[in-house]
Amino acid sequence: MTTGYQESFARFSAHQAAAAPAHVSELRRKGIERFAALGFPTTRNEDWHFTSVSPIAEHDFTMLVEASGDVRKTHIEQYLFCPNDWYALVFVNGRFAPELSTIAELPAGVTVMPLAKAYVDAPELVSRIGTQVDAETQAFSALNSAFMLDGSVVHIEKDVELTRPIHLVYVTDPHAAKGMTHPRNLIVSDANSRATVIESYVSVGSATYFTNAVTEVSVAQGATLHHYKIQRESARAFHVGTIQVEQARDSHYFSFSFATGAQLSRTNVYTLLAGEGCGATLNGLYMLDDAQHGDHQTLIVHREPNCYSRELYKGVLDAQSHGVFNGKVYVHPEAQKTDGKQTNKVLLLSERAQIDAKPQLEIFADDVKCTHGATVGQLDQVSLFYMKSRGVGNELARRLLTYAFAADVIETLEQPSVRDELEAITLARFNVAELPAGELAGAETVGA
Amino acid sequence: MLKIDNLRANAGDKEILKGLSLNVNAGEVHAVMGPNGSGKSTLAQVLAGNPAYEVTSGSVTYNGQDLLELDAEVRAQQGVFLAFQYPVEIPGVSNAYFLRMAYNEIRKARGEEEVDPMEFADLMDEKLNFVEMDSAMLTRSVNTGFSGGEKKRNEILQMALLEPKLAILDETDSGLDIDALRIVADGVNKLKRPDNATIVVTHYQRLLNYIVPDFVHVLANGRIVKSGGKELALELEAKGYDWVTGAGAAA
Amino acid sequence: MSSSIDQLISKDYEHGFITDVETDTIPPGLDEDVIRVISGKKNEPAFMLEWRLKAYRRWLSMKEPRWPNVKYAPIDYQALSYYSAPKSVKQLQSLDEVDPELIRTYEKLGIPLLEQKRLSGVAVDAIFDSVSVGTTMREELSKVGVIFCSLGEALREHPELVEKYLGSVVPYSDNFFAALNSAVFSDGSFVYIPKGVRCPMDLSTYFRINAADTGQFERTLIVADEGSYVSYLEGCTAPKRSTNQLHAAVVELVALKGATIKYSTVQNWYAGDAEGVGGIYNFVTKRGKAAENAKISWTQVETGSAITWKYPSVILQGDNSVGEFYSVAVVNNHQQADTGTKMIHIGRNTKSNIVSKGISAGQGQNSYRGQVKVLAKAENARNYTQCDSMLVGNRCGAHTFPYIEVGNNTATVEHEASTSKIGEDQIFYLKQRGLSAEQAVSMIVSGFCKEVFKELPMEFALEAQQLLGITLEGSVG
């Protein structure tokens, strides 16, 4: 399975466009070496028990090295939230597209640039790449390291409070058919800074392609980072994305993962609470249809005392879609006074939808309070009856309650334009667009 | 009965009691009043032997022995009772079982016979009437899901049952409505005997309308700054704590 | 407080004595000949030997599982002896013929076997190393048609029943330890409750490991015919020895239409000493299959064994069938437990309920591993899982690994888990009312486990509570 990738790697590393500093070449070399040794994970691997990646392994994807595609601003406006206000780096088929991007007026103390440019212009930042993610044992991260080419580098310096979000947009169009991209991102939040960074993975057209992204994040002492990932790939696409975060003392990290795309997707969000008094909130919403397979894996490692973590993931599964949620909270012996709460709720809309959930607690400290709850079910029959008794038709009542179930997580987003947009997408999905959004949100609908 | 001499105690690294002295004789009711953070609750916890507080110097003599040398359960067995400000919930353990076990441990320590569940049930009926509680609460888990008032009444029920020599009531009035307050205060008054003593720790004078103290002490910054008779409480109510702590005047 | 908590761990294991009896023990090692010897010693029917050999050949191709969250040195399967029996145990006509030394052993363990001293209302099958010493109350039971005897005897007296049901719930190929057990099992209990019969008394098996360097591989088979009811209790102890001993048992429960089986275990195998030397490796496969309207309920109190690896499970095959799992697992010192359950919902309107209480003290590691699987045709399946962990001291660990797999949208599956420490404020409150630290901890822990204890038969509940007190004694000060 890996020979094709090794050959592809040989061509890639010889390519003129792949020129990079020694540090990056070394990461690439190690990456292909580890990937060749590991191969694609199988379902015997506990972390991949419910997700078979053989559809990815069986394809022969071509590495997209040179700029390609024919994407206009009008094609992607719908994905840009606030196209005029935000700082946006747009990539088409894996390569930076300056004509679609808006990063001209960055305030002082903020760096946002494509990785391929950073190789030359920001060697300091580039040297931090590869320090957090586990490319030793995680095959997809090794593969990303091997084919690391372009991506985004974001640096918020000490005490800088950025009010406008930074948007990193990865667009794939039909020119990328049978191609693969390995976006690599680095987000560095220095002490006491505050920022919002959004990663979007979207598609123009409906090509079959493979996106394998890795984002490394470090949140320094006292810093706050809101980090959203919006995955709306083409329905035929394959998407694997790993976010690895390290948090210092008193930092706060808010993650939101929204996933509706790809035929097979896997999103990993891992955070290490490496300083006292820090907190992480990991929320997410996945809505799947047809034969989509969507897998989320989260890991929160409490290494230091007096930290909190909150997690709320919801899934809405229709048709014969298959959802997987695997959430682990790990508490080291030193991490006393840890306060952890994890909730995972899934709504199965159709007879053939399927969910596999594995919420885990691994606790080695004694003075902790950790809970997790998981529910799987249908719409609450009592709520449904209540609505019907007030004259709301069965079908509309169902859609309303389904929407309310999903909107409950979207409500946790701080950024209003993203919240409104995701609410609108969700409303449209359940055909309740004619109703005022504000009157619906927040209801709890999975039955007891 | 109780002699506290120049007591200093820490909670964690912070010194809370800074040289507190107090004498309590049998038959007396003492009120310890003071603003938040003055060390009232710490005093109550230290006297009961909570290991979360560290005594750094000073002494406490109780009926001629060094109280600080004794473990919490030995103090309890020798008649020291603390009505907790925040009674602790113990899920799954019925109140009746807990009360009987505590009662028997204290009897054993006094060299008395343990009582069997039947005898104990009769005894409980009497005590429940005393605090106007329903027997249904005996089958519930200790304090679990109790309202604030129920918890406080459960404390007084235990006090009635265990018949302490020295009862310390830590903010027993907090969170109580006037009816509950009356029941609790009646309970305390009825338990008063010439051979026992009570320390009432409170922030407000309200409780002292019902439990009339022989002495009132004002605690500020870890020390008793003023002592007097029951009138002192009324005076405090009228003038506020700044009057004795000097916080307002000195500024 | 943690340091004082640690001081409390040190109560001696009270069942750690060794009985001095002459034994018939075969030399260590395992091959097909050994299996033939075991089968021969027990005068088994030919089908049994065939089945054992198939299992053995299958076992050779299997690998020892490594996924449980436990650590131990590799086991040398050729260094174990696979059969050991007191020489004095022969085909006995009555219990009065049992070796007085063995009778004394069981008496010491609190299990009187002789007529005049028997526990009322409980029938006991006493298993000593590889064989059954005797079964009490048989006459009373046979009056209502209940068969309660050793599996060896059942193979001789009721081969058709054994052949029909043995391996029907746990096939010999099920897993590594089940395959090994199928190949070499020596004895165990057999129960058959006829149609519509409510078994008039609790049935109980008491397992005792005595010999050194032997493995114990007992196998229990309980068949409850349509509309019947049985409550079955199981207790286990072993001497204190400095080497680890393997106990790989299999329990199969068959609940036919409308039948109810209630299976309760108090497991108190020797757990090893405070340094983690010695103790039993308790690698057990327990599973029941519930037909239409049948109910299988597992209740376990696990306090012993150096390592526990077991997942009493229910296959909810018939419509409206019910599975329950109530568990208290305590680890102290260096004990490790990876235990939980599997509820496989196949039939419609099937229900399962899981309550797991894990207590970790000392340097113990306690893992709950539970699977709730709702297959596509299991309309209206319901599961509720509650899984709570309590930590006593700061060197232990608690781990929760639930697997929730739902393939039917009419299912409702709920899982709740919590982990917390034993409250210092709770201990102080109880001490302030005159209780000692030990009494306080014992009371808090009993309260924590109450939902499980109330599922145990009365005598067992008391024993379990005491055992818990003893196990945790020394864990708080």
Side-chain angles (χ1 to χ4, degrees):
Chain A
M1 286 301 178
T2 61
T3 2
Y5 285 90
Q6 283 169 278
E7 286 164 11
S8 196
F9 179 76
R11 284 193 300 277
F12 164 70
S13 38
H15 199 288
Q16 206 182 350
H23 169 65
V24 171
S25 307
E26 181 58 15
L27 288 174
R28 288 175 180 166
R29 193 191 57 74
K30 275 194 201 144
I32 194 67
E33 195 180 290
R34 288 309 301 155
F35 178 71
L38 293 164
F40 282 106
T42 69
T43 52
R44 282 193 300 275
N45 180 330
E46 193 63 28
D47 285 343
W48 293 87
H49 188 59
F50 298 114
T51 296
S52 165
V53 297
S54 49
I56 298 175
E58 282 158 13
H59 270 83
D60 190 12
F61 294 109
T62 313
M63 176 64 193
L64 300 170
V65 184
E66 286 177 84
S68 67
D70 181 18
V71 174
R72 314 266 166 79
K73 202 139 197 174
T74 51
H75 291 142
I76 57 165
E77 239 157 16
Q78 54 164 324
Y79 297 126
L80 295 182
F81 300 107
C82 285
N84 302 319
D85 282 1
W86 292 8
Y87 311 108
L89 281 189
V90 180
F91 297 77
V92 174
N93 301 336
R95 298 309 313 254
F96 179 56
E99 69 286 359
L100 300 172
S101 303
T102 46
I103 44 164
E105 296 163 39
L106 281 170
V110 179
T111 307
V112 179
M113 68 168 74
L115 176 60
K117 185 165 185 279
Y119 291 153
V120 184
D121 295 356
E124 284 285 294
L125 286 171
V126 169
S127 70
R128 298 181 62 157
I129 291 175
T131 52
Q132 279 163 38
V133 87
D134 172 17
E136 268 304 299
T137 66
Q138 296 191 3
F140 284 100
S141 295
L143 191 60
N144 174 283
S145 297
F147 290 97
M148 183 192 312
L149 175 61
D150 216 341
S152 306
V153 173
V154 175
H155 182 201
I156 318 293
E157 288 174 31
K158 192 165 178 284
D159 300 330
V160 173
E161 293 194 23
L162 193 60
T163 47
R164 291 194 268 169
I166 297 166
H167 197 189
L168 315 173
V169 189
Y170 294 87
V171 193
T172 310
D173 86 344
H175 289 90
K178 301 205 169 139
M180 63 176 177
T181 64
H182 299 271
R184 180 74 170 222
N185 305 307
L186 175 74
I187 303 171
V188 178
S189 285
D190 283 352
N192 306 318
S193 68
R194 188 180 177 89
T196 300
V197 178
I198 297 156
E199 290 177 49
S200 281
Y201 295 86
V202 300
S203 155
V204 173
S206 54
T208 302
Y209 57 88
F210 172 34
T211 306
N212 176 35
V214 167
T215 303
E216 292 176 279
V217 181
S218 74
V219 190
Q221 184 170 341
T224 300
L225 179 67
H226 290 256
H227 184 200
Y228 310 154
K229 178 181 169 183
I230 317 279
Q231 188 270 101
R232 289 191 272 171
E233 301 268 28
S234 114
R236 291 192 192 146
F238 299 93
H239 178 98
V240 177
T242 297
I243 294 169
Q244 175 72 59
V245 186
E246 182 166 337
Q247 297 183 240
R249 194 184 177 102
D250 300 322
S251 67
H252 295 274
Y253 175 73
F254 299 86
S255 156
F256 192 91
S257 172
F258 180 85
T260 56
Q263 61 162 299
L264 170 62
S265 71
R266 162 71 169 247
T267 301
N268 301 319
V269 183
Y270 305 142
T271 185
L272 170 65
L273 302 172
E276 252 192 80
C278 56
T281 303
L282 268 50
N283 292 348
L285 173 64
Y286 49 100
M287 298 188 285
L288 307 175
D289 206 344
D290 301 321
Q292 281 182 296
H293 179 108
D295 180 348
H296 270 88
Q297 184 169 75
T298 67
L299 170 66
I300 300 171
V301 178
H302 284 266
R303 206 181 67 188
E304 299 291 332
N306 298 307
C307 297
Y308 73 87
S309 60
R310 292 285 176 273
E311 188 165 5
L312 173 63
Y313 264 80
K314 287 196 171 188
V316 181
L317 308 181
D318 208 342
Q320 64 249 49
S321 63
H322 183 180
V324 178
F325 175 78
N326 187 338
K328 185 189 274 192
V329 176
Y330 190 102
V331 181
H332 277 269
E334 298 75 24
Q336 296 294 356
K337 307 273 180 205
T338 288
D339 173 8
K341 189 170 191 312
Q342 186 192 78
T343 308
N344 171 230
K345 296 188 175 192
V346 179
L347 198 53
L348 298 177
L349 295 180
S350 101
E351 281 171 24
R352 293 198 290 165
Q354 191 185 334
I355 176 71
D356 293 309
K358 200 180 155 194
Q360 308 166 67
L361 294 173
E362 286 219 57
I363 296 173
F364 291 91
D366 69 330
D367 192 4
V368 298
K369 185 136 189 62
C370 286
T371 61
H372 70 209
T375 58
V376 176
Q378 284 180 295
L379 291 170
D380 177 27
Q381 297 302 315
V382 177
S383 310
L384 202 56
F385 173 73
Y386 181 78
M387 294 191 88
K388 287 200 275 191
S389 75
R390 295 293 176 269
V392 180
N394 184 51
E395 188 49 36
L396 181 59
R398 287 183 164 278
R399 286 192 266 117
L400 272 172
L401 289 173
T402 307
Y403 166 76
F405 173 82
D408 176 49
V409 210
I410 300 175
E411 282 301 298
T412 66
L413 285 165
E414 202 184 51
Q415 190 55 235
S417 47
V418 182
R419 190 173 61 220
D420 294 349
E421 179 68 22
L422 296 188
E423 265 173 6
I425 292 171
T426 310
L427 280 168
R429 191 178 180 97
F430 301 115
N431 266 318
V432 279
E434 66 268 25
L435 288 157
E439 292 175 15
L440 303 173
E444 217 23 88
T445 51
V446 158
Chain B
M1 174 181 279
L2 182 75
K3 184 172 164 40
I4 305 172
D5 188 25
N6 204 19
L7 183 68
R8 285 174 177 269
N10 291 359
D13 295 337
K14 198 171 171 217
E15 184 165 65
I16 309 285
L17 298 183
K18 299 171 181 172
L20 184 144
S21 300
L22 179 67
N23 285 323
V24 177
N25 297 312
E28 293 175 352
V29 176
H30 288 246
V32 173
M33 301 181 71
N36 291 328
S38 58
K40 302 190 300 287
S41 278
T42 301
L43 174 64
Q45 297 282 332
V46 166
L47 291 177
N50 189 337
Y53 297 87
E54 187 198 357
V55 173
T56 50
S57 70
S59 67
V60 181
T61 315
Y62 171 68
N63 287 336
Q65 52 182 336
D66 181 357
L67 186 70
L68 301 176
E69 281 294 300
L70 307 177
D71 265 349
E73 68 267 35
V74 180
R75 297 185 201 194
Q77 288 158 7
Q78 299 199 0
V80 177
F81 178 90
L82 171 64
F84 283 61
Q85 183 180 5
Y86 303 108
V88 178
E89 300 187 356
I90 304 173
V93 176
S94 82
N95 223 4
Y97 178 69
F98 159 64
L99 292 172
R100 183 160 58 84
M101 191 133 171
Y103 185 64
N104 278 333
E105 281 308 309
I106 287 178
R107 286 182 69 92
K108 263 199 287 185
R110 292 177 187 162
E112 293 163 357
E113 286 279 302
E114 293 184 45
V115 298
D116 65 31
M118 296 302 290
E119 290 173 68
F120 188 72
D122 294 341
L123 179 66
M124 277 322 290
D125 280 346
E126 176 197 322
K127 303 292 180 187
L128 281 167
N129 277 333
F130 190 77
V131 288
E132 299 177 37
M133 280 179 93
D134 192 272
S135 61
M137 61 80 58
L138 289 177
T139 53
R140 291 164 66 186
S141 292
V142 180
N143 294 327
T144 309
F146 282 30
S147 70
E150 283 175 327
K151 281 183 182 171
K152 294 292 169 78
R153 267 192 275 171
N154 199 20
E155 294 293 287
I156 303 305
L157 173 69
Q158 293 172 38
M159 181 172 154
L161 177 71
L162 302 177
E163 297 177 337
K165 292 201 181 71
L166 174 65
I168 305 155
L169 282 71
D170 187 7
E171 306 262 1
T172 297
D173 51 335
S174 67
L176 289 189
D177 64 28
I178 199 74
D179 292 330
L181 184 70
R182 184 188 50 76
I183 292 168
V184 166
D186 278 359
V188 173
N189 288 332
K190 284 189 225 160
L191 291 170
K192 189 178 168 183
R193 293 203 316 238
D195 63 343
N196 65 18
T198 309
I199 299 175
V200 182
V201 172
T202 182
H203 181 82
Y204 300 106
Q205 184 268 339
R206 186 177 70 150
L207 179 65
L208 303 180
N209 290 335
Y210 298 90
I211 303 171
V212 180
D214 301 307
F215 302 94
V216 174
H217 311 277
V218 182
L219 194 59
N221 198 22
R223 277 185 196 163
I224 288 174
V225 291
K226 195 170 180 68
S227 295
K230 62 188 176 198
E231 349 48 72
L232 181 57
L234 294 165
E235 215 171 336
L236 268 177
E237 183 80 356
K239 298 182 180 171
Y241 282 113
D242 288 351
W243 169 58
V244 280
T245 59
Chain C
M1 185 186 70
S2 328
S3 61
S4 49
I5 279 186
D6 291 341
Q7 287 165 10
L8 255 167
I9 312 177
S10 57
K11 174 86 183 193
D12 249 18
Y13 180 68
E14 49 177 321
H15 306 301
F17 63 90
I18 296 168
T19 307
D20 189 14
V21 285
E22 250 191 285
T23 57
D24 170 13
T25 303
I26 61 172
L30 182 57
D31 56 26
E32 294 200 0
D33 287 340
V34 167
I35 289 163
R36 289 196 177 88
V37 169
I38 294 171
S39 191
K41 279 185 185 291
K42 310 184 73 66
N43 296 319
E44 287 175 352
F47 79 84
M48 201 62 246
L49 177 61
E50 273 317 298
W51 196 74
R52 285 175 181 278
L53 290 171
K54 274 194 274 183
Y56 174 69
R57 286 165 201 151
R58 184 56 183 262
W59 178 73
L60 288 176
S61 73
M62 294 171 102
K63 275 203 185 105
E64 199 170 324
R66 281 291 165 206
W67 51 263
N69 192 23
V70 297
K71 292 190 186 77
Y72 56 91
I75 298 170
D76 182 355
Y77 292 92
Q78 294 303 335
L80 293 177
S81 167
Y82 287 84
Y83 185 89
S84 176
K87 276 198 175 146
S88 53
V89 177
K90 306 238 165 51
Q91 297 262 43
L92 299 176
Q93 294 310 307
S94 112
L95 275 164
D96 300 336
E97 295 173 35
V98 172
D99 184 342
E101 189 59 33
L102 295 177
I103 297 279
R104 270 196 295 279
T105 297
Y106 281 91
E107 247 164 41
K108 225 164 142 183
L109 296 168
I111 317 289
L113 297 177
L114 293 179
E115 198 76 53
Q116 61 276 22
K117 294 181 183 167
R118 271 177 216 163
L119 301 167
S120 58
V122 185
V124 180
D125 185 18
I127 306 229
F128 192 87
D129 288 333
S130 299
V131 293
S132 170
V133 169
T135 311
T136 66
M137 301 277 189
R138 296 177 59 163
E139 274 171 39
E140 292 86 332
L141 290 169
S142 67
K143 279 182 203 151
V144 288
V146 170
I147 303 169
F148 180 38
C149 61
S150 72
L151 191 57
E153 198 177 333
L155 270 164
R156 295 187 294 271
E157 309 281 327
H158 312 281
E160 70 300 336
L161 281 174
V162 178
E163 187 169 11
K164 183 167 175 190
Y165 292 109
L166 192 75
S168 69
V169 184
V170 181
Y172 63 77
S173 57
D174 191 79
N175 67 67
F176 182 83
F177 293 109
L180 179 62
N181 173 286
S182 302
V184 303
F185 77 87
S186 38
D187 217 334
S189 299
F190 175 77
V191 174
Y192 175 79
I193 316 290
K195 257 186 207 176
V197 170
R198 189 181 168 91
C199 187
M201 63 189 81
D202 288 347
L203 306 184
S204 158
T205 300
Y206 196 92
F207 294 102
R208 174 76 179 166
I209 295 181
N210 188 61
D213 304 318
T214 57
Q216 185 165 11
F217 304 93
E218 85 275 354
R219 188 157 187 126
T220 297
L221 174 60
I222 298 177
V223 180
D225 213 327
E226 293 181 11
S228 67
Y229 171 91
V230 62
S231 166
Y232 181 91
L233 325 171
E234 174 194 63
C236 335
T237 57
K240 286 161 74 166
R241 295 191 190 278
S242 59
T243 50
N244 295 111
Q245 275 179 284
L246 177 64
H247 170 257
V250 171
V251 175
E252 292 180 278
L253 308 184
V254 180
L256 298 176
K257 236 186 222 177
T260 298
I261 301 176
K262 205 168 155 44
Y263 193 107
S264 311
T265 303
V266 172
Q267 185 266 104
N268 185 26
W269 294 120
Y270 179 52
D273 67 12
E275 273 70 54
V277 176
I280 302 291
Y281 290 166
N282 190 36
F283 300 157
V284 173
T285 306
K286 289 182 164 175
R287 194 177 303 151
K289 200 186 260 183
E292 204 178 314
N293 296 315
K295 176 176 171 183
I296 290 177
S297 179
W298 296 101
T299 305
Q300 61 173 25
V301 176
E302 302 279 321
T303 59
S305 295
I307 302 177
T308 298
W309 179 98
K310 72 180 238 193
Y311 314 92
S313 306
V314 184
I315 300 170
L316 297 153
Q317 194 159 43
D319 293 352
N320 311 313
S321 56
V322 176
E324 295 176 336
F325 175 75
Y326 300 97
S327 170
V328 167
V330 186
V331 292
N332 199 345
N333 297 324
H334 291 264
Q335 281 177 279
Q336 307 173 62
D338 192 309
T339 183
T341 183
K342 287 193 228 177
M343 294 289 174
I344 314 293
H345 293 258
I346 301 172
R348 285 175 298 168
N349 303 315
T350 46
K351 280 200 192 90
S352 62
N353 195 21
I354 299 171
V355 178
S356 164
K357 302 280 179 174
I359 299 157
S360 311
Q363 297 178 55
Q365 296 295 330
N366 209 337
S367 300
Y368 166 80
R369 191 181 300 276
Q371 183 186 37
V372 175
K373 188 166 190 154
V374 178
L375 298 184
K377 299 222 169 102
E379 295 284 315
N380 291 315
R382 294 280 177 276
N383 162 266
Y384 176 72
T385 301
Q386 186 193 333
C387 175
D388 298 318
S389 306
M390 184 182 269
L391 296 147
V392 184
N394 57 4
R395 291 176 300 162
C396 50
H399 316 273
T400 315
F401 304 104
Y403 299 71
I404 302 164
E405 301 169 39
V406 182
N408 184 299
N409 72 321
T410 60
T412 303
V413 176
E414 277 187 273
H415 173 100
E416 281 179 50
S418 74
T419 302
S420 53
K421 73 179 286 189
I422 193 163
E424 278 174 54
D425 55 343
Q426 292 176 320
I427 293 175
F428 176 61
Y429 186 69
L430 295 175
K431 285 178 80 172
Q432 214 300 307
R433 296 298 183 257
L435 272 58
S436 68
E438 286 89 344
Q439 285 170 322
V441 169
S442 169
M443 187 179 266
I444 295 163
V445 168
S446 298
F448 177 70
C449 301
K450 194 178 191 177
E451 285 151 286
V452 174
F453 286 160
K454 75 178 187 339
E455 295 299 321
L456 287 168
M458 182 68 99
E459 314 82 60
F460 247 38
L462 290 173
E463 186 185 335
Q465 210 141 343
Q466 274 174 358
L467 200 55
L468 210 65
I470 292 163
T471 309
L472 284 170
E473 200 154 311
S475 60
V476 180

